[in-house]
């Protein structure tokens, strides 16, 4: 059977008020009887001052109960206060942990351990006045869920996006959103991927198109490769570097560019993408995938290897040069389409993360 707790925590002051009403006395009468100031008596009536042994003895003589009666009233009241505060602390912490990856987040921002300070920090993080996450439940988001047999947590993913939003007050592009220039940049993706220093050159040009780029590691249970959204009309691309490889970087970038260029009218949406499982039933995701595949010449690559049973490194390099695209993208396309093993061609897919230090948050 459940143990019920009183809805109102009644203290000794409430009992004193009842006794005063019974005798027809006022607060100042009790003050004169006890030889105390009216202010002190007011604190007793409002349960702000504890019942000391001396006070309990006085109350026992005045209202004809035992000294222990008054001491027990006060002790039980104070204990319930402590229990109530602890329950509220536990409730607040549980709520925060339910919606946010606290342990991981603490490594990235100043998130205090003490509950009251943590609550204040969380409210500042989300820019909310009360600890109520109903707005997350209602937020319209397009998720592409990973198909890894692991629990996907959409709230952790939204926390990841908010972490990005909170960086948007510094190092922003001076240029305004230039759609025509951005479209030309998307068309030139293969050239940038193939040239030395192409990653940084591409990101610099992306900035000139008015697009914000951030590299922010994903959180547990999100399995995100990238995200895109509009913040105050400004396009934003986030790269997680979950798979720190050339092919993953360029396909993620191309996919997010697809969302920005094709879905500008959906500026209220946030696209959080995992490339492990392409959700082709989602119209916007299918369009962004087709956009990325087209820009990175996937059809041409597959056509070049249509009859190849075991693609060789030499052949990959030849096709790379013919198509003017990075060897890593060629290899990644073959692997994604199960024409080559994921354990091969690592020499074509160097890490990208070391190049992104100036964009990491």
């Amino acid at each position: 059977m459940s143990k019920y707790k009183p809805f109102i925590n009644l203290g000794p002051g409430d009992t004193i008020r009842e006794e005063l009403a019974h005798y027809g006395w006022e607060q100042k009468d009790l003050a004169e009887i006890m030889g105390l100031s009216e202010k002190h008596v007011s604190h007793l009536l409002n349960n702000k001052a504890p019942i000391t042994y001396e006070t309990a003895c006085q109350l026992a003589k005045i209202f004809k109960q035992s000294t222990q009666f008054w001491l027990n009233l006060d002790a039980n009241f104070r204990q319930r206060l402590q229990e109530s505060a602890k329950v509220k602390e536990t409730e607040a912490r549980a709520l925060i942990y339910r919606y946010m990856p606290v342990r991981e987040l603490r490594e990235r921002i100043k998130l205090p351990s003490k509950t009251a300070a943590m609550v204040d920090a969380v409210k500042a993080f989300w820019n909310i006045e009360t600890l109520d996450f109903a707005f997350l439940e209602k937020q319209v988001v397009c998720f592409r869920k990973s198909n890894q047999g692991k629990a996907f947590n959409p709230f952790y993913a939204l926390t990841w996006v908010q972490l990005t939003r909170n960086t948007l007050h510094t190092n922003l592009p001076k240029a305004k959103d230039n759609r025509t220039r951005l479209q030309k940049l998307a068309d030139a993706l293969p050239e940038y991927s193939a040239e030395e220093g192409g990653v940084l050159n591409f990101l610099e040009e992306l900035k000139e198109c008015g697009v914000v780029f951030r590299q922010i590691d994903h959180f547990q249970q999100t399995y995100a490769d990238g995200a895109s959204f509009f913040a105050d009309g400004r396009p934003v691309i986030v790269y997680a570097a979950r798979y720190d490889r050339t092919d993953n970087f360029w396909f993620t970038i191309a996919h997010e560019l697809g969302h920005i260029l094709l879905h500008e009218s959906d500026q209220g949406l946030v696209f959080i993408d995992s490339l492990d499982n392409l959700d082709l039933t989602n119209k916007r995701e299918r369009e962004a995938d087709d956009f990325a595949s087209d820009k990175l010449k996937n059809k041409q690559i597959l056509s070049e290897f249509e009859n190849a049973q075991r693609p060789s490194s030499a052949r990959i390099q030849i096709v790379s040069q013919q198509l003017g695209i990075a060897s890593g993208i060629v290899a990644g396309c073959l692997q994604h389409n199960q024409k080559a093993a994921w354990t091969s061609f690592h020499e074509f897919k160097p890490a990208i993360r070391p190049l992104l230090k100036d964009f990491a948050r």
Side-chain angles (χ1 to χ4, degrees):
M1 182 176 291
S2 301
K3 182 180 180 181
Y4 294 97
K5 295 184 178 180
F7 180 72
I8 299 176
N9 185 16
L10 298 177
D14 301 286
T15 303
I16 294 174
R17 288 179 186 277
E18 291 179 359
E19 293 291 345
L20 290 178
H22 175 74
Y23 286 99
W25 293 345
E26 296 181 2
Q27 179 176 312
K28 61 182 179 181
D29 296 320
L30 184 61
E32 291 179 6
I33 294 171
M34 298 182 71
L36 301 172
S37 68
E38 285 192 44
K39 183 177 181 180
H40 192 157
V41 171
S42 175
H43 285 166
L44 288 174
L45 293 174
N46 289 290
N47 299 309
K48 293 181 178 179
I51 302 295
T52 65
Y53 181 77
E54 182 179 354
T55 301
C57 290
Q58 287 182 292
L59 293 172
K61 295 297 183 182
I62 296 169
F63 298 125
K64 302 178 182 179
Q65 295 99 346
S66 68
T67 299
Q68 195 61 45
F69 169 82
W70 291 102
L71 290 174
N72 288 343
L73 269 183
D74 188 71
N76 292 335
F77 170 74
R78 304 292 164 192
Q79 182 178 356
R80 285 194 298 269
L81 274 183
Q82 291 181 356
E83 290 176 350
S84 177
K86 189 65 177 177
V87 167
K88 288 180 179 178
E89 277 197 15
T90 301
E91 182 181 22
R93 294 179 76 90
L95 190 63
I96 293 170
Y97 272 77
R98 185 177 305 129
Y99 286 95
M100 302 173 71
V102 174
R103 285 178 295 170
E104 286 185 282
L105 192 59
R106 186 173 285 132
E107 298 174 358
R108 308 191 195 187
I109 67 172
K110 293 181 180 179
L111 193 62
S113 298
K114 293 185 178 179
T115 302
M118 180 190 291
V119 168
D120 289 340
V122 167
K123 289 192 291 187
F125 179 85
W126 292 105
N127 193 27
I128 55 178
E129 295 183 358
T130 59
L131 194 65
D132 183 353
F133 291 98
F135 71 97
L136 286 182
E137 301 278 0
K138 298 176 182 178
Q139 188 166 340
V140 179
V141 181
C142 284
F143 288 115
R144 176 192 285 173
K145 299 182 181 179
S146 173
N147 189 25
Q148 298 184 29
K150 299 178 182 179
F152 172 80
N153 191 318
F155 304 116
Y156 286 10
L158 288 172
T159 302
W160 180 63
V161 171
Q162 185 64 23
L163 190 62
T164 304
R165 291 186 187 276
N166 290 344
T167 72
L168 299 183
H169 59 279
T170 59
N171 195 28
L172 295 178
K174 294 180 181 179
K176 293 184 179 179
D177 183 9
N178 189 322
R179 315 294 292 177
T180 302
R181 187 170 180 174
L182 187 59
Q183 182 64 63
K184 290 181 179 179
L185 180 62
D187 292 338
L189 272 167
E191 299 170 28
Y192 280 97
S193 75
E195 71 180 29
E196 186 176 352
V199 171
L200 294 182
N201 291 339
F202 174 85
L203 294 178
E204 186 60 34
E205 183 61 23
L206 194 66
K207 190 174 182 180
E208 292 300 317
C209 294
V211 180
V212 181
F213 174 81
R214 295 286 187 268
Q215 191 281 303
I216 299 182
D217 292 350
H218 74 113
F219 287 125
Q220 60 173 324
Q221 298 181 33
T222 61
Y223 317 109
D225 289 297
S228 56
F229 57 92
F230 285 83
D232 298 325
R234 186 190 294 274
V236 180
I237 291 177
V238 194
Y239 178 60
R242 183 164 68 103
Y243 297 124
D244 191 11
R245 308 184 313 249
T246 302
D247 59 319
N248 178 263
F249 171 80
W250 288 112
F251 195 89
T252 301
I253 292 296
H255 183 92
E256 303 310 334
L257 278 175
H259 281 309
I260 289 172
L261 288 168
L262 300 175
H263 307 134
E264 184 182 13
S265 60
D266 300 314
Q267 290 198 16
L269 297 178
V270 178
F271 298 94
I272 302 177
D273 299 306
S274 169
L275 303 184
D276 293 320
N277 182 37
L278 308 183
D279 182 11
L280 299 181
T281 63
N282 184 304
K283 180 176 181 291
R284 296 184 186 90
E285 292 298 344
R286 185 172 64 250
E287 290 172 345
D289 282 327
D290 289 344
F291 180 92
S293 296
D294 176 63
K295 297 305 177 187
L296 297 180
K297 304 183 178 182
N298 281 11
K299 286 185 178 179
Q300 294 95 311
I301 293 171
L302 293 176
S303 176
E304 291 291 337
F305 290 89
E306 186 175 3
N307 299 317
Q309 305 230 335
R310 296 184 61 184
S312 66
S313 297
R315 180 60 182 159
I316 285 176
Q317 288 177 302
I318 291 172
V319 172
S320 168
Q321 292 174 357
Q322 288 175 343
L323 298 180
I325 197 168
S327 300
I329 293 177
V330 176
C333 176
L334 295 174
Q335 291 165 331
H336 180 75
N337 288 276
Q338 300 180 346
K339 289 185 172 292
W342 283 106
T343 54
S344 58
F345 308 128
H346 296 306
E347 68 272 21
F348 297 137
K349 298 190 288 184
I352 293 292
R353 188 189 297 271
L355 302 176
L356 306 179
K357 293 179 180 179
D358 292 340
F359 302 91
R361 295 291 185 276

